[in-house]
Amino acid sequence: MAGYMDNMLVRSFVYDLAIQWGLFGVAAYFQTEKFYDLAGSGTFVFLALQSLKWGETYFLRQKIQSGMVVTWGIRLGLFLFTRILKDGHDSRFNNVRNNPKRFFIYWTVQALWVWLTLLPTLLVNSNKKDKDLTKRDYVGWSLWLLGFLCEAIADHQKSAFRSNPDNAKQFINTGLWSISRHPNYLGEIMLWTGLFISASPVMSSNQHLSVISPFFVAFLLTRVSGIPMLERKGLKRYGDNPAYMEYIKKTAVLIPYIY
């Protein structure tokens, strides 16, 4: 076992599972989901920093890549945590928090999400030979920045909209939400795509399979827990509102003017 634990990818996965399953025990005991998202984001931050430490090389590419993960994780984690403290619950868990088996699946899926999504960064931090920065690094970091800003601005716009009592029964269709029904998810997909691109110059052979990172994020958000759930929720709440039906007819689901 000690030999396997010398492999950064294996070690990261073991730590990831231990964190999620350990916190699952606490969450299941108290039947709460209030720190679920914070746990996921926090694990990203922990593994990004820990893998940088394990690598013991601290190349510029590694520090920038890890710093971007940490910046994203802290912002999103705190945003989601303060939001659920304000709302009191997360509707995704209405039929889950009291069912230990289903709750365990959610925490396990979160572990897989963390590890698969972080895979390109883990590969960068495990690299023992430095390479000069390339155009791909700058393209990837630029895409990360655009995605990060898109997600952060969209979250801020929706949070501000929801905090206005006059909008209690209204849907948001202003700002970034006027050109995409889910701009925060678009930003999320963009930033992880960027981090794969910036990691790719140091990859060799089958390490390029870590492209699963942005594809897995896109799959989860467009086919599993993101867009499908919110679209159903929106239709249930605003389906009898002609303005809302016109909004979903004319506004792209994700990519402005395209899809």
Side-chain angles (χ1 to χ4, degrees):
M1 182 66 180
Y4 286 112
M5 288 299 288
D6 289 335
N7 184 298
M8 187 182 293
L9 298 185
V10 174
R11 194 189 310 182
S12 297
F13 188 61
V14 170
Y15 273 65
D16 180 22
L17 278 178
I19 292 169
Q20 304 311 315
W21 285 352
L23 291 175
F24 155 74
V26 178
Y29 179 81
F30 290 104
Q31 296 185 354
T32 180
E33 73 280 16
K34 288 186 177 179
F35 56 85
Y36 178 82
D37 289 320
L38 183 62
S41 300
T43 306
F44 273 101
V45 172
F46 171 76
L47 290 180
L49 294 175
Q50 198 62 40
S51 62
L52 184 63
K53 181 180 178 181
W54 288 333
E56 299 182 335
T57 47
Y58 302 100
F59 300 138
L60 179 60
R61 178 184 284 108
Q62 295 171 335
K63 290 189 285 188
I64 293 176
Q65 186 92 1
S66 300
M68 287 179 166
V69 173
V70 170
T71 300
W72 166 85
I74 291 175
R75 188 213 70 86
L76 185 63
L78 292 177
F79 170 77
L80 295 175
F81 187 56
T82 54
R83 186 179 70 178
I84 197 170
L85 290 180
K86 182 178 179 180
D87 294 345
H89 72 284
D90 185 333
S91 59
R92 292 177 298 170
F93 296 88
N94 285 349
N95 299 313
V96 175
R97 69 178 69 88
N98 298 328
N99 185 325
K101 290 183 179 179
R102 292 188 63 189
F103 208 14
F104 177 74
I105 291 174
Y106 272 60
W107 282 89
T108 302
V109 169
Q110 175 154 272
L112 292 175
W113 166 63
V114 170
W115 190 79
L116 287 175
T117 305
L118 197 57
L119 198 50
T121 300
L122 295 175
L123 290 172
V124 167
N125 287 345
S126 67
N127 189 51
K128 296 300 182 182
K129 289 186 177 181
D130 197 13
K131 291 186 177 181
D132 292 336
L133 298 181
T134 69
K135 290 181 179 179
R136 274 185 285 170
D137 292 285
Y138 296 110
V139 169
W141 294 336
S142 297
L143 186 58
W144 177 89
L145 180 59
L146 288 174
F148 179 81
L149 291 174
C150 181
E151 182 177 52
I153 291 171
D155 283 342
H156 173 73
Q157 289 175 340
K158 191 169 187 177
S159 180
F161 180 86
R162 292 178 63 190
S163 66
N164 186 343
D166 294 338
N167 297 326
K169 296 183 179 180
Q170 304 297 321
F171 62 92
I172 184 171
N173 61 352
T174 56
L176 293 177
W177 301 84
S178 67
I179 56 175
S180 171
R181 303 209 296 271
H182 304 281
N184 52 335
Y185 292 159
L186 173 62
E188 180 86 354
I189 295 168
M190 288 172 61
L191 67 87
W192 288 114
T193 301
L195 288 182
F196 168 76
I197 293 173
S198 62
S200 63
V202 300
M203 293 181 186
S204 59
S205 61
N206 60 0
Q207 290 183 342
H208 287 92
L209 292 175
S210 63
V211 71
I212 192 176
S213 167
F215 279 105
F216 187 65
V217 171
F219 172 74
L220 287 179
L221 294 179
T222 62
R223 293 290 183 265
V224 184
S225 65
I227 291 175
M229 292 179 66
L230 290 178
E231 290 288 302
R232 288 194 298 269
K233 187 177 179 180
L235 284 173
K236 183 178 180 180
R237 186 172 184 181
Y238 307 113
D240 57 352
N241 184 338
Y244 180 74
M245 299 308 293
E246 186 69 12
Y247 170 71
I248 64 174
K249 180 181 178 181
K250 292 186 175 182
T251 309
V253 175
L254 189 67
I255 306 174
Y257 315 112
I258 298 176
Y259 167 72

